[in-house]
Amino acid sequence: MMRTRPLKVALLGCGVVGSEVARIMTTQAADLAARIGAPVELAGVAVRRPDRVREGIAPELVTTDATALVKRGDLDVVVEVIGGIEPARTLITTAFAHGASVVSANKALLAQDGAALHAIAEEHGKDLYYEAAVAGAIPLIRPLRESLAGDKVNRVLGIVNGTTNFILDKMDSTGAGYQEALDEATALGYAEADPTADVEGFDAAAKAAILAGIAFHTRVRLDDVHREGMTEVTAADFASAKEMGCTIKLLAICERAADGGSVTARVHPAMIPLTHPLASVRGAYNAVFVESDAAGQLMFYGPGAGGAPTASAVLGDLVAVCRNRLGGTTGPGESAYAALPVSPMGEVVTRYHISLDVADKPGVLAQVATVFAEHGVSIDTVRQQGKDGEASLVVVTHRASDAALGGTVDALRKLDTVRGVASIMRVEGE
Protein backbone atom coordinates (compact mmCIF):
# COMPACT_ATOMS: atom_id res chain seq x y z
CA MET A 1 0.00 0.00 0.00
CA MET A 2 1.39 3.38 -1.02
CA ARG A 3 2.00 6.03 1.60
CA THR A 4 0.28 9.30 0.73
CA ARG A 5 2.59 11.66 2.63
CA PRO A 6 5.42 12.58 0.25
CA LEU A 7 9.12 12.17 0.89
CA LYS A 8 10.74 15.58 0.71
CA VAL A 9 13.85 16.08 -1.41
CA ALA A 10 16.12 19.14 -1.59
CA LEU A 11 18.37 19.73 -4.57
CA LEU A 12 21.73 21.48 -4.16
CA GLY A 13 22.70 22.75 -7.60
CA CYS A 14 20.58 23.15 -10.71
CA GLY A 15 23.05 23.11 -13.57
CA VAL A 16 23.30 20.54 -16.34
CA VAL A 17 22.78 17.58 -13.99
CA GLY A 18 20.56 19.19 -11.36
CA SER A 19 18.07 20.52 -13.90
CA GLU A 20 17.75 17.03 -15.39
CA VAL A 21 17.18 15.54 -11.93
CA ALA A 22 14.40 18.07 -11.30
CA ARG A 23 12.88 17.42 -14.73
CA ILE A 24 12.78 13.64 -14.27
CA MET A 25 11.37 13.98 -10.76
CA THR A 26 8.53 16.05 -12.24
CA THR A 27 7.82 14.22 -15.50
CA GLN A 28 8.13 10.72 -14.01
CA ALA A 29 6.58 11.49 -10.63
CA ALA A 30 3.94 8.76 -10.83
CA ASP A 31 6.42 6.06 -11.83
CA LEU A 32 8.88 7.11 -9.13
CA ALA A 33 6.12 7.03 -6.52
CA ALA A 34 5.08 3.53 -7.61
CA ARG A 35 8.67 2.26 -7.46
CA ILE A 36 9.38 3.84 -4.09
CA GLY A 37 6.02 3.30 -2.38
CA ALA A 38 5.42 6.99 -1.69
CA PRO A 39 5.33 10.25 -3.65
CA VAL A 40 8.52 12.29 -3.90
CA GLU A 41 8.26 16.05 -3.52
CA LEU A 42 10.89 18.56 -4.59
CA ALA A 43 10.97 20.74 -1.48
CA GLY A 44 13.67 23.24 -2.44
CA VAL A 45 16.44 24.01 -4.90
CA ALA A 46 19.61 25.85 -3.87
CA VAL A 47 21.32 27.85 -6.64
CA ARG A 48 23.88 30.61 -7.02
CA ARG A 49 21.95 32.67 -9.59
CA PRO A 50 18.27 32.85 -8.64
CA ASP A 51 17.27 35.11 -11.55
CA ARG A 52 17.88 32.41 -14.17
CA VAL A 53 14.73 30.86 -15.62
CA ARG A 54 14.44 27.21 -14.68
CA GLU A 55 11.74 25.49 -16.66
CA GLY A 56 9.49 23.21 -14.63
CA ILE A 57 10.70 24.47 -11.24
CA ALA A 58 8.36 26.72 -9.26
CA PRO A 59 10.15 30.02 -8.45
CA GLU A 60 9.19 29.78 -4.78
CA LEU A 61 11.30 26.60 -4.47
CA VAL A 62 14.49 28.38 -5.54
CA THR A 63 16.84 29.79 -2.90
CA THR A 64 20.41 31.03 -2.62
CA ASP A 65 20.60 30.00 1.03
CA ALA A 66 21.69 26.37 0.77
CA THR A 67 22.55 26.21 4.47
CA ALA A 68 19.05 27.21 5.54
CA LEU A 69 17.60 24.69 3.11
CA VAL A 70 19.51 21.70 4.51
CA LYS A 71 18.75 22.81 8.09
CA ARG A 72 14.98 22.70 7.60
CA GLY A 73 14.65 19.48 9.54
CA ASP A 74 11.78 18.07 7.47
CA LEU A 75 13.85 16.81 4.52
CA ASP A 76 14.18 13.12 3.79
CA VAL A 77 16.92 13.32 1.15
CA VAL A 78 19.39 15.98 0.00
CA VAL A 79 20.76 15.60 -3.53
CA GLU A 80 24.13 17.32 -3.93
CA VAL A 81 25.27 18.10 -7.47
CA ILE A 82 27.24 21.31 -6.98
CA GLY A 83 30.67 19.64 -6.95
CA GLY A 84 33.91 20.78 -5.36
CA ILE A 85 35.03 20.43 -1.76
CA GLU A 86 33.38 23.41 -0.08
CA PRO A 87 30.63 24.34 0.54
CA ALA A 88 29.54 20.81 -0.50
CA ARG A 89 31.22 19.08 2.44
CA THR A 90 29.68 21.39 5.04
CA LEU A 91 26.25 21.19 3.41
CA ILE A 92 26.33 17.39 3.34
CA THR A 93 27.39 17.06 6.97
CA THR A 94 24.75 19.61 7.97
CA ALA A 95 22.11 17.62 6.09
CA PHE A 96 23.04 14.48 8.03
CA ALA A 97 22.88 16.36 11.33
CA HIS A 98 19.38 17.63 10.49
CA GLY A 99 17.91 14.26 9.59
CA ALA A 100 18.40 13.85 5.84
CA SER A 101 20.15 11.14 3.87
CA VAL A 102 22.37 12.28 0.98
CA VAL A 103 22.77 11.39 -2.67
CA SER A 104 25.89 12.94 -4.21
CA ALA A 105 27.68 13.06 -7.56
CA ASN A 106 30.77 14.70 -6.05
CA LYS A 107 33.78 12.57 -7.00
CA ALA A 108 36.39 15.06 -5.76
CA LEU A 109 34.87 15.29 -2.29
CA LEU A 110 34.29 11.56 -1.96
CA ALA A 111 37.84 10.75 -3.08
CA GLN A 112 39.23 13.15 -0.51
CA ASP A 113 36.86 12.78 2.44
CA GLY A 114 34.71 9.75 1.73
CA ALA A 115 35.69 7.96 4.96
CA ALA A 116 34.77 10.94 7.13
CA LEU A 117 31.46 11.45 5.34
CA HIS A 118 30.56 7.77 5.74
CA ALA A 119 31.36 8.00 9.44
CA ILE A 120 29.10 11.02 9.89
CA ALA A 121 26.30 9.34 7.93
CA GLU A 122 26.59 6.25 10.14
CA GLU A 123 26.65 8.38 13.29
CA HIS A 124 23.31 9.89 12.33
CA GLY A 125 21.84 6.66 10.91
CA LYS A 126 21.58 8.03 7.37
CA ASP A 127 22.47 6.90 3.87
CA LEU A 128 25.27 8.22 1.66
CA TYR A 129 24.90 7.07 -1.96
CA TYR A 130 27.03 8.25 -4.91
CA GLU A 131 26.58 6.10 -8.01
CA ALA A 132 26.78 9.22 -10.20
CA ALA A 133 30.26 10.12 -8.93
CA VAL A 134 31.92 7.55 -11.21
CA ALA A 135 31.19 6.85 -14.89
CA GLY A 136 27.91 8.74 -15.24
CA ALA A 137 24.97 6.50 -16.08
CA ILE A 138 26.95 3.25 -15.88
CA PRO A 139 25.86 1.10 -12.91
CA LEU A 140 29.23 0.45 -11.34
CA ILE A 141 29.43 1.41 -7.68
CA ARG A 142 26.36 -0.59 -6.67
CA PRO A 143 27.55 -3.76 -8.49
CA LEU A 144 30.92 -3.46 -6.76
CA ARG A 145 29.42 -2.62 -3.37
CA GLU A 146 26.49 -5.05 -3.47
CA SER A 147 26.40 -7.51 -6.39
CA LEU A 148 30.07 -8.49 -5.97
CA ALA A 149 30.09 -8.21 -2.17
CA GLY A 150 30.51 -11.98 -1.87
CA ASP A 151 33.34 -12.15 -4.39
CA LYS A 152 37.01 -11.12 -4.34
CA VAL A 153 37.76 -8.34 -6.82
CA ASN A 154 41.35 -8.41 -8.04
CA ARG A 155 41.46 -5.71 -10.69
CA VAL A 156 39.45 -2.76 -11.97
CA LEU A 157 40.67 -1.39 -15.29
CA GLY A 158 38.75 1.35 -17.02
CA ILE A 159 38.19 4.41 -19.15
CA VAL A 160 36.43 6.75 -16.74
CA ASN A 161 36.74 10.12 -18.48
CA GLY A 162 34.84 10.79 -21.68
CA THR A 163 36.77 13.92 -22.66
CA THR A 164 40.13 12.18 -22.73
CA ASN A 165 38.73 9.15 -24.53
CA PHE A 166 37.23 11.41 -27.22
CA ILE A 167 40.58 13.15 -27.72
CA LEU A 168 42.61 9.94 -27.88
CA ASP A 169 40.05 8.29 -30.15
CA LYS A 170 40.30 11.21 -32.57
CA MET A 171 44.09 11.02 -32.55
CA ASP A 172 43.89 7.29 -33.25
CA SER A 173 41.23 7.35 -35.96
CA THR A 174 42.23 10.52 -37.85
CA GLY A 175 45.93 10.96 -37.14
CA ALA A 176 45.27 14.32 -35.53
CA GLY A 177 47.69 15.83 -33.04
CA TYR A 178 46.77 16.36 -29.41
CA GLN A 179 45.93 20.08 -29.72
CA GLU A 180 43.82 19.57 -32.83
CA ALA A 181 41.81 16.81 -31.13
CA LEU A 182 41.42 18.93 -27.98
CA ASP A 183 40.15 21.87 -30.03
CA GLU A 184 37.50 19.64 -31.60
CA ALA A 185 36.48 18.27 -28.20
CA THR A 186 36.11 21.83 -26.91
CA ALA A 187 34.05 22.91 -29.92
CA LEU A 188 31.68 19.97 -29.43
CA GLY A 189 31.28 20.68 -25.71
CA TYR A 190 33.13 17.55 -24.53
CA ALA A 191 36.00 19.57 -23.03
CA GLU A 192 35.77 22.49 -20.62
CA ALA A 193 37.37 25.85 -21.41
CA ASP A 194 40.04 24.78 -18.91
CA PRO A 195 40.46 21.03 -19.57
CA THR A 196 43.19 20.50 -16.96
CA ALA A 197 41.13 18.29 -14.63
CA ASP A 198 40.42 15.92 -17.51
CA VAL A 199 43.59 15.84 -19.59
CA GLU A 200 45.96 15.82 -16.61
CA GLY A 201 44.09 12.89 -15.06
CA PHE A 202 42.76 14.58 -11.90
CA ASP A 203 39.15 13.62 -12.67
CA ALA A 204 40.06 10.00 -13.40
CA ALA A 205 42.27 9.81 -10.30
CA ALA A 206 39.38 10.80 -8.03
CA LYS A 207 37.25 8.09 -9.59
CA ALA A 208 40.05 5.55 -9.24
CA ALA A 209 40.30 6.31 -5.52
CA ILE A 210 36.57 5.67 -5.07
CA LEU A 211 36.62 2.45 -7.12
CA ALA A 212 39.70 1.06 -5.37
CA GLY A 213 38.24 1.74 -1.94
CA ILE A 214 35.02 -0.11 -2.75
CA ALA A 215 36.62 -2.96 -4.71
CA PHE A 216 39.29 -3.78 -2.11
CA HIS A 217 37.46 -2.82 1.12
CA THR A 218 40.29 -0.43 1.88
CA ARG A 219 40.44 3.31 2.38
CA VAL A 220 42.09 4.81 -0.70
CA ARG A 221 42.40 8.58 -0.85
CA LEU A 222 43.08 10.77 -3.85
CA ASP A 223 46.66 11.29 -2.63
CA ASP A 224 47.21 7.52 -2.85
CA VAL A 225 46.54 7.47 -6.60
CA HIS A 226 49.49 7.84 -8.98
CA ARG A 227 48.48 10.25 -11.74
CA GLU A 228 49.91 11.07 -15.16
CA GLY A 229 48.18 13.19 -17.80
CA MET A 230 47.93 12.56 -21.54
CA THR A 231 49.11 15.89 -22.95
CA GLU A 232 52.43 14.40 -24.07
CA VAL A 233 50.85 11.63 -26.16
CA THR A 234 51.77 12.15 -29.82
CA ALA A 235 50.79 10.89 -33.24
CA ALA A 236 54.11 9.01 -33.26
CA ASP A 237 53.00 7.14 -30.13
CA PHE A 238 49.84 6.04 -31.91
CA ALA A 239 51.90 4.92 -34.92
CA SER A 240 54.06 2.80 -32.61
CA ALA A 241 50.96 1.42 -30.91
CA LYS A 242 49.47 0.38 -34.25
CA GLU A 243 52.67 -1.45 -35.17
CA MET A 244 52.17 -3.49 -31.97
CA GLY A 245 48.48 -4.12 -32.66
CA CYS A 246 47.49 -1.68 -29.91
CA THR A 247 45.80 1.63 -29.31
CA ILE A 248 46.26 4.19 -26.51
CA LYS A 249 43.78 4.98 -23.72
CA LEU A 250 43.95 6.98 -20.50
CA LEU A 251 43.27 4.25 -17.97
CA ALA A 252 42.32 4.12 -14.32
CA ILE A 253 43.85 0.93 -12.92
CA CYS A 254 43.18 -0.46 -9.46
CA GLU A 255 44.90 -3.74 -8.62
CA ARG A 256 45.32 -6.17 -5.77
CA ALA A 257 48.90 -7.45 -5.46
CA ALA A 258 49.48 -11.07 -6.45
CA ASP A 259 50.05 -12.03 -2.82
CA GLY A 260 46.90 -10.17 -1.78
CA GLY A 261 48.81 -8.09 0.75
CA SER A 262 48.51 -4.65 -0.84
CA VAL A 263 46.75 -2.65 -3.54
CA THR A 264 47.68 0.00 -6.07
CA ALA A 265 45.69 2.73 -7.81
CA ARG A 266 46.96 4.68 -10.78
CA VAL A 267 45.91 6.76 -13.77
CA HIS A 268 48.06 7.14 -16.89
CA PRO A 269 48.06 6.69 -20.67
CA ALA A 270 48.76 3.13 -21.77
CA MET A 271 48.86 0.98 -24.86
CA ILE A 272 46.27 -1.79 -24.86
CA PRO A 273 45.87 -4.57 -27.45
CA LEU A 274 43.15 -4.07 -30.04
CA THR A 275 41.78 -7.44 -28.92
CA HIS A 276 40.99 -6.08 -25.44
CA PRO A 277 37.34 -4.97 -24.96
CA LEU A 278 38.42 -1.50 -23.81
CA ALA A 279 40.17 -0.86 -27.13
CA SER A 280 36.81 -0.65 -28.91
CA VAL A 281 35.41 2.06 -26.61
CA ARG A 282 35.05 5.09 -28.88
CA GLY A 283 34.20 8.75 -28.58
CA ALA A 284 33.19 10.13 -25.20
CA TYR A 285 32.02 6.79 -23.82
CA ASN A 286 33.29 5.16 -20.63
CA ALA A 287 33.90 1.50 -19.86
CA VAL A 288 35.22 -0.37 -16.84
CA PHE A 289 36.60 -3.91 -16.88
CA VAL A 290 36.35 -5.79 -13.57
CA GLU A 291 38.18 -9.03 -12.78
CA SER A 292 37.17 -11.14 -9.78
CA ASP A 293 37.74 -14.66 -8.49
CA ALA A 294 34.26 -16.13 -8.91
CA ALA A 295 32.55 -13.91 -11.50
CA GLY A 296 35.60 -13.75 -13.74
CA GLN A 297 35.71 -10.86 -16.18
CA LEU A 298 32.92 -8.29 -16.34
CA MET A 299 32.65 -5.13 -18.45
CA PHE A 300 30.44 -2.11 -17.77
CA TYR A 301 29.94 0.27 -20.71
CA GLY A 302 27.95 3.40 -21.44
CA PRO A 303 27.83 7.22 -21.45
CA GLY A 304 30.07 8.50 -18.69
CA ALA A 305 28.92 12.10 -18.48
CA GLY A 306 26.19 14.54 -19.51
CA GLY A 307 23.07 15.82 -17.83
CA ALA A 308 20.58 13.05 -18.55
CA PRO A 309 22.96 10.06 -18.11
CA THR A 310 24.31 11.38 -14.80
CA ALA A 311 20.81 12.26 -13.63
CA SER A 312 19.80 8.66 -14.32
CA ALA A 313 22.39 7.48 -11.78
CA VAL A 314 21.30 10.14 -9.29
CA LEU A 315 17.65 9.09 -9.58
CA GLY A 316 18.58 5.44 -9.13
CA ASP A 317 20.24 6.33 -5.85
CA LEU A 318 17.30 8.53 -4.88
CA VAL A 319 14.87 5.63 -5.33
CA ALA A 320 17.10 3.33 -3.24
CA VAL A 321 17.53 5.87 -0.45
CA CYS A 322 13.82 6.67 -0.36
CA ARG A 323 12.98 2.96 -0.12
CA ASN A 324 15.39 2.66 2.79
CA ARG A 325 13.77 5.69 4.40
CA LEU A 326 10.32 4.12 4.19
CA GLY A 327 11.65 0.84 5.57
CA GLY A 328 13.40 2.53 8.46
CA THR A 329 16.76 1.16 7.42
CA THR A 330 19.92 2.18 5.64
CA GLY A 331 21.91 0.66 2.81
CA PRO A 332 25.54 -0.45 2.85
CA GLY A 333 28.01 2.06 4.23
CA GLU A 334 31.77 2.13 4.00
CA SER A 335 33.50 -1.26 3.95
CA ALA A 336 37.16 -0.76 4.82
CA TYR A 337 37.75 -3.81 7.01
CA ALA A 338 40.63 -5.13 4.84
CA ALA A 339 42.74 -2.00 5.50
CA LEU A 340 45.31 -3.06 2.92
CA PRO A 341 48.35 -0.83 2.40
CA VAL A 342 48.50 1.14 -0.84
CA SER A 343 51.82 0.43 -2.56
CA PRO A 344 53.78 3.25 -4.23
CA MET A 345 54.03 3.44 -8.00
CA GLY A 346 57.64 2.25 -7.92
CA GLU A 347 56.45 -1.22 -6.94
CA VAL A 348 53.93 -1.53 -9.78
CA VAL A 349 54.91 -4.18 -12.33
CA THR A 350 53.91 -3.87 -15.97
CA ARG A 351 55.29 -3.93 -19.51
CA TYR A 352 56.84 -0.87 -21.14
CA HIS A 353 57.26 0.56 -24.62
CA ILE A 354 60.34 2.82 -24.82
CA SER A 355 61.33 4.83 -27.88
CA LEU A 356 64.97 6.04 -27.99
CA ASP A 357 66.77 8.38 -30.38
CA VAL A 358 70.23 6.88 -30.85
CA ALA A 359 73.32 7.16 -33.03
CA ASP A 360 73.13 4.93 -36.09
CA LYS A 361 76.34 2.96 -35.69
CA PRO A 362 77.46 -0.54 -34.70
CA GLY A 363 77.30 -1.54 -31.04
CA VAL A 364 74.47 0.78 -29.98
CA LEU A 365 71.95 -2.01 -29.56
CA ALA A 366 74.43 -4.03 -27.48
CA GLN A 367 75.05 -1.03 -25.19
CA VAL A 368 71.33 -0.46 -24.70
CA ALA A 369 70.66 -4.16 -24.07
CA THR A 370 73.43 -4.23 -21.46
CA VAL A 371 71.84 -1.34 -19.54
CA PHE A 372 68.49 -3.13 -19.47
CA ALA A 373 70.16 -6.33 -18.24
CA GLU A 374 72.11 -4.52 -15.52
CA HIS A 375 68.86 -3.16 -14.08
CA GLY A 376 67.03 -6.49 -14.24
CA VAL A 377 64.64 -5.47 -17.01
CA SER A 378 64.08 -8.20 -19.59
CA ILE A 379 63.58 -7.16 -23.23
CA ASP A 380 60.73 -8.71 -25.24
CA THR A 381 61.24 -7.11 -28.66
CA VAL A 382 63.51 -4.49 -30.28
CA ARG A 383 62.98 -2.56 -33.50
CA GLN A 384 65.61 -0.23 -35.00
CA GLN A 385 65.41 2.12 -37.97
CA GLY A 386 68.31 4.32 -39.06
CA LYS A 387 68.98 7.13 -41.52
CA ASP A 388 71.76 9.70 -42.00
CA GLY A 389 73.66 8.80 -38.84
CA GLU A 390 70.61 8.86 -36.56
CA ALA A 391 68.28 6.04 -35.59
CA SER A 392 65.13 5.25 -33.67
CA LEU A 393 65.27 2.29 -31.31
CA VAL A 394 62.00 0.93 -29.95
CA VAL A 395 62.21 -1.48 -27.03
CA VAL A 396 59.28 -3.41 -25.56
CA THR A 397 60.01 -5.03 -22.21
CA HIS A 398 58.66 -7.98 -20.35
CA ARG A 399 57.01 -7.10 -17.04
CA ALA A 400 59.17 -4.96 -14.77
CA SER A 401 58.69 -2.66 -11.82
CA ASP A 402 58.31 1.06 -12.34
CA ALA A 403 61.36 1.65 -10.14
CA ALA A 404 63.52 -0.74 -12.20
CA LEU A 405 62.41 0.89 -15.43
CA GLY A 406 63.13 4.34 -14.01
CA GLY A 407 66.69 3.32 -13.13
CA THR A 408 67.13 1.85 -16.60
CA VAL A 409 66.02 5.05 -18.31
CA ASP A 410 68.28 7.19 -16.12
CA ALA A 411 71.24 5.01 -17.11
CA LEU A 412 70.30 5.10 -20.81
CA ARG A 413 70.34 8.88 -20.77
CA LYS A 414 74.00 8.78 -19.68
CA LEU A 415 75.10 6.82 -22.77
CA ASP A 416 76.86 8.92 -25.39
CA THR A 417 75.09 6.97 -28.12
CA VAL A 418 71.60 7.77 -26.79
CA ARG A 419 70.49 11.19 -28.04
CA GLY A 420 67.26 11.20 -26.07
CA VAL A 421 64.25 9.28 -24.78
CA ALA A 422 61.44 10.09 -27.20
CA SER A 423 58.65 8.40 -25.23
CA ILE A 424 57.88 5.89 -22.51
CA MET A 425 54.49 4.23 -22.31
CA ARG A 426 53.12 1.35 -20.29
CA VAL A 427 51.48 -1.62 -21.98
CA GLU A 428 48.36 -2.88 -20.17
CA GLY A 429 45.44 -5.22 -20.67
CA GLU A 430 47.29 -8.40 -21.54
Side-chain angles (χ1 to χ4, degrees):
M1 183 175 181
M2 183 177 294
R3 191 180 83 168
T4 57
R5 182 169 64 83
L7 293 160
K8 294 187 176 183
V9 178
L11 182 60
L12 306 182
C14 198
V16 173
V17 176
S19 59
E20 280 295 309
V21 171
R23 182 189 66 80
I24 295 172
M25 285 183 64
T26 301
T27 59
Q28 298 185 21
D31 285 338
L32 289 172
R35 294 165 192 169
I36 292 168
V40 178
E41 173 189 317
L42 187 59
V45 182
V47 300
R48 285 185 297 175
R49 293 183 288 273
D51 53 340
R52 179 179 295 179
V53 176
R54 293 174 172 83
E55 186 177 347
I57 298 177
E60 60 270 21
L61 294 180
V62 177
T63 179
T64 57
D65 194 343
T67 301
L69 179 59
V70 298
K71 283 184 174 180
R72 280 178 38 162
D74 64 339
L75 298 175
D76 293 287
V77 186
V78 169
V79 175
E80 182 272 310
V81 288
I82 57 178
I85 305 301
E86 288 290 358
R89 174 169 48 196
T90 298
L91 292 171
I92 288 173
T93 57
T94 302
F96 288 141
H98 286 79
S101 289
V102 172
V103 171
S104 176
N106 196 330
K107 54 188 171 288
L109 178 58
L110 289 159
Q112 178 172 305
D113 290 324
L117 293 176
H118 272 294
I120 296 169
E122 183 177 359
E123 176 188 347
H124 292 285
K126 299 297 180 286
D127 274 322
L128 173 61
Y129 276 48
Y130 42 90
E131 184 68 64
V134 180
I138 304 172
L140 183 59
I141 288 177
R142 193 170 291 123
L144 283 172
R145 192 160 68 167
E146 299 178 28
S147 302
L148 295 174
D151 204 345
K152 179 183 177 184
V153 176
N154 296 310
R155 195 177 197 219
V156 180
L157 172 76
I159 299 164
V160 295
N161 184 280
T163 300
T164 56
N165 199 58
F166 178 88
I167 293 170
L168 292 172
D169 184 36
K170 279 294 175 183
M171 293 176 70
D172 184 29
S173 60
T174 68
Y178 166 76
Q179 189 60 49
E180 182 183 352
L182 173 60
D183 290 343
E184 183 174 353
T186 303
L188 292 172
Y190 291 127
E192 301 287 345
D194 179 1
T196 302
D198 294 324
V199 300
E200 294 294 351
F202 290 100
D203 175 85
K207 296 169 181 175
I210 295 170
L211 291 175
I214 297 171
F216 306 133
H217 305 279
T218 292
R219 288 179 178 170
V220 180
R221 289 172 50 88
L222 182 57
D223 292 345
D224 295 321
V225 182
H226 174 82
R227 176 195 56 80
E228 297 174 25
M230 48 158 278
T231 57
E232 301 301 318
V233 177
T234 67
D237 291 325
F238 274 100
S240 294
K242 287 182 179 180
E243 290 178 356
M244 290 180 58
C246 293
T247 188
I248 298 172
K249 300 292 186 181
L250 184 75
L251 299 177
I253 306 169
C254 311
E255 290 181 308
R256 188 189 300 269
D259 64 3
S262 64
V263 298
T264 59
R266 51 198 164 99
V267 168
H268 54 70
M271 294 182 180
I272 59 172
L274 295 175
T275 53
H276 194 281
L278 291 178
S280 62
V281 178
R282 311 301 297 268
Y285 275 73
N286 284 191
V288 177
F289 204 72
V290 177
E291 300 174 10
S292 67
D293 276 0
Q297 298 179 332
L298 306 169
M299 182 168 164
F300 301 84
Y301 169 84
T310 305
S312 171
V314 170
L315 267 296
D317 278 351
L318 180 63
V319 169
V321 170
C322 285
R323 286 172 175 169
N324 291 343
R325 193 84 171 182
L326 287 179
T329 186
T330 56
E334 182 191 32
S335 175
Y337 74 91
L340 297 171
V342 182
S343 297
M345 187 63 188
E347 297 179 13
V348 171
V349 176
T350 188
R351 296 180 68 204
Y352 291 88
H353 176 282
I354 305 104
S355 180
L356 305 172
D357 295 326
V358 299
D360 187 15
K361 62 182 184 181
V364 173
L365 180 55
Q367 285 184 320
V368 169
T370 297
V371 170
F372 276 88
E374 289 174 346
H375 288 80
V377 179
S378 176
I379 294 175
D380 183 16
T381 62
V382 178
R383 186 176 69 255
Q384 183 173 0
Q385 293 178 327
K387 183 179 181 182
D388 299 329
E390 298 296 327
S392 173
L393 189 64
V394 176
V395 178
V396 179
T397 74
H398 289 291
R399 292 175 65 83
S401 72
D402 191 77
L405 196 281
T408 303
V409 172
D410 288 343
L412 288 171
R413 288 193 169 105
K414 295 176 182 177
L415 294 178
D416 292 338
T417 51
V418 175
R419 311 297 193 218
V421 179
S423 69
I424 303 171
M425 190 164 296
R426 296 174 182 87
V427 182
E428 300 283 353
E430 295 185 303

